[in-house]
Every structure is written in structure tokens, then in C-alpha cells.
Amino acid sequence: MDSKVDPQRQLVRLRGRSYVAFVFSPVMPIVNWLEGIDATLARSPGFFVGRPIVLDLSAVKLSGHGIAHLVSSLENRNIRVLGIEGVDSSLLDASLPPLLTGGRHCMIEQSEPKKAEVKKETEPKAPPATSLLLESPVRSGQCIVFTEGDVTVLGSVSSGAEIVAGGSIHVYGTLRGRAMAGINGNQAARIYCQRIEAELLAIDGYYQTAEDIDQTLRSRPAQAWLDGETMKITPLI
Amino acid sequence: MAKVLVVTSGKGGVGKTTSTAALGAALAQNGDKVVVVDFDVGLRNLDLIMGAERRVVFDLINVAQGVAKLSQALIRDKRLENLWLLPASQTRDKDALTDEGVRQIIDELRSKFDWILCDSPAGIERGATLAMRYADEAIIVTNPEVSSVRDSDRIIGMLDSKTVKAEQGEEVKKHVLITRYDPARAARGEMLSIDDILEILATPLLGIIPESQDILRASNVGAPVTLNDAACASARAYNDAARRLNGETIAMTVPVERKRFFERLLGRRAA
Amino acid sequence: MSINILRMFSRRTSSAPVARERLQILLAHERGQRGQADLLGILREEILAVVSRHVALDPEKVIVRMDRGKSVSTLEVDIEVPNDFDKRIAVAS
């Protein structure tokens, strides 16, 4: 993560990236399942070393202690768990790997036959030509996420609402909430609105909060765009 | 056709219970059969505002749990025979109220009444979501004040997602009711303007109720303001709002400052 | 323009004393209920239990009304009983 501190603008970047990871889906009884892992390791000893492993616990019912015990059992076998999915977040304390959501199936090219199931997807870099149209205002507390392309809102976006788009964001109304465009690395994404009173604007991770937005621009039609690593907000028209 | 109407707001203290009582009484005076239902489990208030606090035997939760029949819990208003109250429980906590229990009660109420007004508690937790769940229409009570407006907006978003109607792809008809409107502060520019509120909430206006001593007096004596003092400005505004609910088109009266007696006497105009 | 002198000098009947009295009565009852069983509620249950020992009670035909007053409270229990009830065998509930 890059970070520069510039007195005029904040440039801490928050980016999303996806990686392919192996997923272990243990089944009960855990002891037998671990024996299966041991058998795999016996056949290919170093196979899991250095690979990101995710634990899918949706098929088993473990307590917080049970999960911690399982993670350390795997660590004893040189298997490091990157994240955990399929459990309630309350069971994971700070010493355990974080909770993951939103994983998708994908194929993995590999040289050897595997015992572990594989599950995550590489995301295409080219922005797809799809867009989402919302015909009513976006209300406080609502969060619209559309990573595949542009989002257009026929109405205002209330304070306390959030729009997250892979492409550009177009608001035919007043933008009072948060708008985050180009989240997949699309630096050409822009944010357009008829009246700018936004709480936060972000394009490909570079963001500005309400305080940073020039007072003279407020309550006028405006667009936000990236010029290199600088976010520019200029009047529309 | 019975209509289920939720009176909600998000923010507390804006006038939901007062408005439920006032509108319920106004609709009943028009001849419709009306029941007002208190969904604030554990902190009941509607019975107090209606003046029925001494007659509560069974409550919403008793009915939901099957301990009592609906007819045993309903309390008839002593002044208007078309107006009934289904009180909330004062002693049980919110988890005692279930979705299924509420669904059955609302279904039974639909067969007996023309209007079912659900007085929602503040917040966005179970009491509030259950109050709105089976609503056909909603009145979002809003004060001309920033946090009230934002909370109302939040609630409007929930009406479009957490109700049975929304889940079935239909729309809950929404109305904004502005309460505690103070004309003097509005004239001085110290209050959010009606236009600002409507622009932000993007929802039709049902009425503007002025801040008034009459409302306090009515709740002191335990009567809906539309019954206690039908001539006062607040009551007239509530009556207009009730008529709009019935589909009448009535010009919106923006409350004006009431000139004090001596100023009127001496011909002086208020600032 | 007519001036109503009487209105000018008289005060409206104050509603605060009414509110105070209502609250006193109400809270006296509600405080009594916290941590203790409600006497009227107990009476209601026991009366219904006694009646139902002799008559099959249809819950729809039982109306209970209460009026909690300052010094005196009233409990009304209205039960519709069929005229030949004493000839039928009672069903204990």
C-alpha cells in the first residue's frame, strides 16, 4: 500500500486485489479429516508450504477454542491459514486469521492431482461493458455495490448512503453520501453529480472527504476524476 | 378494503404517538372504524395519550402468545365508538413479539376495521421493523431538524426493503408528516425549510403540524388533540391530513405565527 | 374588532393537575406490579378457574374489564353461560 502525506490532499490508497487460494473444507470428525491431510502431506511433503490456505468451516460446528485448535494443528503441519470462512465472526478473536466473505469458484491450473478443493477466482482486468441503473433515490443506510461497471442514479444519494462501482458513478440529483468509483483499479472512472454535497469521494482508492472539497464547488454540478495520483473536482459545464 | 398504516420516524420524540392518536380520532370521526395499535413493547404510551391507561387488561403480546383473544384485548374509546385501541405490553421485552404473531393479528384486524394505525417505536430494531412489516401505507413523522430528517430517510429506505409489500415487488405508499413546525423560527431562518425537507426525502407531504401547547394539554388530559380541541391549529392540520389520507385534495396550510393579543390590539405586526 | 375582556383575564383550566392525578394513579399501579404479582390479574385468573370448573368456558364469551382508580379499582368479569349449563357435565379446563 502506498502512502504519502501531502498537506493538501490525503493520498493513502486503499485498493482491492484478488488472489487465488486453496480452500480446505473440513468435515466431522476433525481427527479423521486431519489424518487425510497427513496422508496428502506424506505423498507431497512440501506442497502446501507457502501457499495461501483458506479454511471453510461451514460443514463443521466448532467453538472458538475448536477453531483455534484446528488452526494450530494445521500450523504444526506447516500449513498457514490465511483466512476463515463459513463461521460467525463472533467466534474469531484477534489471534485467529480474519473472516473472509465473497469467495467464488475458479479453476486452478496445477501440475499434480490434489486432495484439497479449490475455490477462488481471478478477476478480469478489462472493465466489462455493463451498468446498473437505479430509478429512485438512494436512502441513508443503503449501500449499492456494483463492481462490474457504471452506476447511474435517477435521484439523489442521501447522507449516510454509499455507492461502490467498478466503473463511473452518475448521480442525476444531489450527491450527499459516499461515492467510490473505479474500485477494481479503473483510474479512468469518474464521479458526476448535479449537486455536490458529498461526504466522501474515491476513485481507485484515492479519496477526498467533505472537508477537502472546495467550498466554491459545493451545491453545483460537478465531476471528480483522477489526474495521475491527484483527485480533481471541477464544475460540470 | 382495510388499510394498514404504519406511523414511523426512526428518530424518537418527534410525535409518532401523538399523530397516531390524532389521526386515528380524525378518521373515526369521519365515520370509519379505526384501531390504533401500540408496537412499543415494554414502554407503552399510546394508551396514555388516548386516556385508556386505567383500562388495559390484555395487550398485543398476550394476543400474539394466545393468552387472550383479540376481542378481549381491544379497548373501545369512551368518546368515539368507532375508535379502538390495542395496547402494548408494559412488562415484557421485545423478543416476545414474533413475526408470525403480528401477521395473524394484523390479518384478524383487517377483517374488523377500515383503518389499522400501527404506532411504531423509535429506532430500527425489531419493534420498528415489525410495526412496518405488514403496512400498506406509511406516515413518516419528521421534525424540521437535521437528525430527524436523516433518520426519516433511513426509515424510508427500510420501508422499501423490509416490508412484505416491498419483498413482493409492490410499493408501500409513503407520506411525510412534518410536526413541531415553529413558524417564528422558520421566519428567522432557524429551521430547515419545508422545501429542503421534501427535496431531501423525495416523498409527498401529508401535512404540517405546528408546535403547540394544545398538544401538550391534550396528552395531559388523555385525549387525542383532534378530540380535545378540534378548533386549534394543530387539530385542524391533523384533520386536513386525515382527509388527505382518504384521498381528498386539500390545499396545504403552512402554519403562521400567531400574533399575540396586545400586538393585535395595537395593530402591530409580528416581526 | 371585538375584544373579549373575560378571555383576556381568565386562564384556561389548567391541564397539568389532571395529568398529575392520572400519572399518580397509573404509577401506583405499575410500581405495585413490579416484582409482585398484580392483584387484579390474580383475581381474574382465579375467578376464571373457579367458573371453568363448573362450566365449559368459551374464551370468546369471557369479557374482563378493569378500571384502576385512585382509591378503588373495579374488576368486571362478564361470562356468557348457556342456560342449560347445570344439566351438562362440566369440563374441567
Side-chain angles (χ1 to χ4, degrees):
Chain A
M1 187 151 87
D2 315 297
S3 80
K4 273 188 243 172
V5 178
D6 180 324
Q8 256 101 32
R9 268 185 206 93
Q10 310 193 37
L11 289 175
V12 176
R13 296 190 70 191
L14 301 172
R15 306 177 78 179
R17 235 171 248 194
S18 61
Y19 300 89
V20 176
F22 285 137
V23 177
F24 283 179
S25 303
V27 293
M28 297 299 249
I30 297 280
V31 175
N32 294 3
W33 181 80
L34 280 170
E35 283 174 7
I37 296 288
D38 287 336
T40 310
L41 285 173
R43 284 202 310 269
S44 343
F47 185 75
F48 294 119
V49 172
R51 304 245 186 185
I53 303 286
V54 169
L55 262 190
D56 176 359
L57 297 179
S58 48
V60 298
K61 257 190 135 75
L62 291 177
S63 63
H65 285 304
I67 298 175
H69 185 72
L70 178 56
V71 169
S72 61
S73 304
L74 290 172
E75 267 171 32
N76 291 342
R77 292 163 169 82
N78 275 322
I79 296 172
R80 289 160 65 195
V81 178
L82 163 72
I84 300 185
E85 57 178 26
V87 288
D88 193 78
S89 57
S90 59
L91 291 173
L92 299 178
D93 65 25
S95 63
L96 287 173
L99 184 68
L100 297 177
T101 55
R104 282 177 283 183
H105 283 269
C106 72
M107 300 308 296
I108 289 198
E109 304 98 54
Q110 53 209 6
S111 41
E112 324 180 28
K114 257 336 9 27
K115 208 163 173 213
E117 305 90 304
V118 291
K119 253 204 231 159
K120 296 245 182 316
E121 178 174 317
T122 41
E123 297 199 350
K125 269 303 173 178
T130 53
S131 79
L132 176 67
L133 171 64
L134 299 167
E135 292 182 84
S136 56
V138 182
R139 303 279 176 186
S140 178
Q142 292 178 336
C143 179
I144 312 289
V145 178
F146 187 70
T147 57
E148 293 89 334
D150 286 12
V151 174
T152 305
V153 182
L154 298 181
S156 294
V157 177
S158 294
S159 152
E162 197 168 281
I163 310 223
V164 179
S168 294
I169 298 175
H170 313 254
V171 178
Y172 290 97
T174 306
L175 173 56
R176 294 190 177 90
R178 294 150 58 106
M180 298 186 270
I183 57 155
N184 291 330
N186 182 357
Q187 301 215 331
R190 294 194 180 201
I191 301 171
Y192 310 88
C193 56
Q194 285 184 333
R195 269 177 66 175
I196 181 157
E197 291 176 18
E199 287 165 347
L200 180 142
L201 297 173
I203 301 177
D204 186 27
Y206 292 103
Y207 70 90
Q208 283 201 19
T209 61
E211 287 175 335
D212 306 321
I213 298 174
D214 201 325
Q215 282 303 310
T216 59
L217 291 166
R218 296 213 136 232
S219 304
R220 293 166 62 188
Q223 58 169 326
W225 46 287
L226 269 190
D227 181 9
E229 288 182 348
T230 316
M231 180 182 293
K232 293 228 154 81
I233 305 178
T234 52
L236 259 181
I237 307 153
Chain B
M1 259 294 287
K3 266 201 202 157
V4 178
L5 216 108
V6 61
V7 181
T8 183
S9 67
K11 189 115 178 35
V14 297
K16 289 180 291 304
T17 303
T18 302
S19 300
T20 306
L23 288 170
L27 289 166
Q29 277 175 317
N30 282 344
D32 289 332
K33 231 184 141 191
V34 180
V35 63
V36 294
V37 185
D38 192 350
F39 271 83
D40 203 342
V41 179
L43 281 180
R44 70 165 171 239
N45 281 308
L46 190 52
D47 60 310
L48 205 46
I49 300 303
M50 298 284 291
E53 74 277 5
R54 291 160 34 166
R55 298 188 288 136
V56 176
V57 179
F58 292 114
D59 56 58
L60 181 65
I61 290 194
N62 290 145
V63 181
Q65 291 172 330
V67 166
K69 295 273 168 199
L70 188 57
S71 54
Q72 294 169 319
L74 287 170
I75 300 176
R76 190 174 216 163
D77 190 84
K78 284 186 172 163
R79 300 153 293 220
L80 276 181
E81 60 171 18
N82 282 354
L83 181 58
W84 298 73
L85 162 70
L86 179 55
S89 163
Q90 183 71 333
T91 54
R92 273 151 284 250
D93 74 275
K94 298 184 185 3
D95 296 329
L97 200 59
T98 60
D99 192 323
E100 182 56 26
V102 170
R103 192 189 62 75
Q104 288 180 359
I105 292 172
I106 299 275
D107 281 347
E108 202 181 333
L109 288 171
R110 276 186 201 272
S111 66
K112 296 178 194 262
F113 292 95
D114 301 313
W115 291 95
I116 299 135
L117 301 191
C118 301
D119 183 16
S120 174
I124 49 173
E125 301 307 317
R126 196 206 207 101
T129 52
L130 276 178
M132 67 168 64
R133 184 116 182 92
Y134 299 98
D136 302 315
E137 293 188 30
I139 298 178
I140 299 108
V141 181
T142 310
N143 288 164
E145 181 270 317
V146 292
S147 52
S148 173
V149 173
R150 184 201 277 210
D151 288 0
S152 287
D153 191 71
R154 182 91 166 85
I155 282 288
I156 292 174
M158 289 176 70
L159 285 163
D160 287 334
S161 60
K162 295 234 191 283
T163 53
V164 168
K165 262 204 137 91
E167 284 170 8
Q168 291 170 346
E170 296 167 50
E171 206 194 301
V172 173
K173 192 165 170 204
K174 300 181 239 10
H175 318 263
V176 164
L177 181 68
I178 295 181
T179 51
R180 307 202 118 121
Y181 180 81
D182 185 333
R185 288 175 61 201
R188 291 197 292 270
E190 287 171 18
M191 213 171 217
L192 265 184
S193 77
I194 309 276
D195 291 331
D196 284 342
I197 298 172
L198 294 178
E199 193 260 311
I200 293 173
L201 295 180
T203 300
L205 182 63
L206 183 71
I208 308 168
I209 316 292
E211 176 80 275
S212 160
Q213 298 300 321
D214 311 302
I215 292 182
L216 178 59
R217 258 195 290 275
S219 78
N220 277 347
V221 305
V225 67
T226 39
L227 281 187
N228 195 50
D229 186 0
C232 74
S234 319
R236 280 183 282 126
Y238 274 121
N239 271 309
D240 284 353
R243 287 164 67 192
R244 288 184 195 110
L245 279 176
N246 262 318
E248 281 184 59
T249 310
I250 304 179
M252 190 70 60
T253 315
V254 180
V256 292
E257 211 180 332
R258 294 164 72 186
K259 291 185 228 160
R260 286 188 292 269
F261 177 72
F262 282 109
E263 285 165 9
R264 203 195 292 266
L265 176 61
L266 298 171
R268 216 182 288 153
R269 296 205 157 269
Chain C
M1 176 169 56
S2 64
I3 304 167
N4 189 334
I5 303 273
L6 288 173
R7 247 192 105 186
M8 188 171 129
F9 290 112
S10 77
R11 293 164 59 188
R12 286 213 223 180
T13 328
S14 180
S15 58
V18 179
R20 185 171 59 236
E21 179 158 329
R22 287 173 67 215
L23 272 175
Q24 280 170 342
I25 297 174
L26 180 63
L27 291 179
H29 283 285
E30 287 186 354
R31 282 178 193 149
Q33 283 181 15
R34 279 180 228 148
Q36 289 172 37
D38 164 32
L39 176 62
L40 285 185
I42 294 179
L43 282 176
R44 175 191 75 215
E45 292 310 310
E46 295 194 6
I47 291 173
L48 291 180
V50 163
V51 175
S52 64
R53 281 211 293 273
H54 302 280
V55 184
L57 273 187
D58 176 359
E60 298 278 352
K61 307 282 197 235
V62 178
I63 315 271
V64 182
R65 276 190 223 95
M66 280 199 228
D67 195 341
R68 301 177 203 268
K70 200 167 178 185
S71 47
V72 163
S73 297
T74 323
L75 171 67
E76 267 181 64
V77 181
D78 263 310
I79 308 177
E80 247 182 53
V81 157
N83 283 339
D84 58 347
F85 84 97
D86 50 345
K87 300 203 179 73
R88 289 200 235 148
I89 299 168
V91 176
S93 67

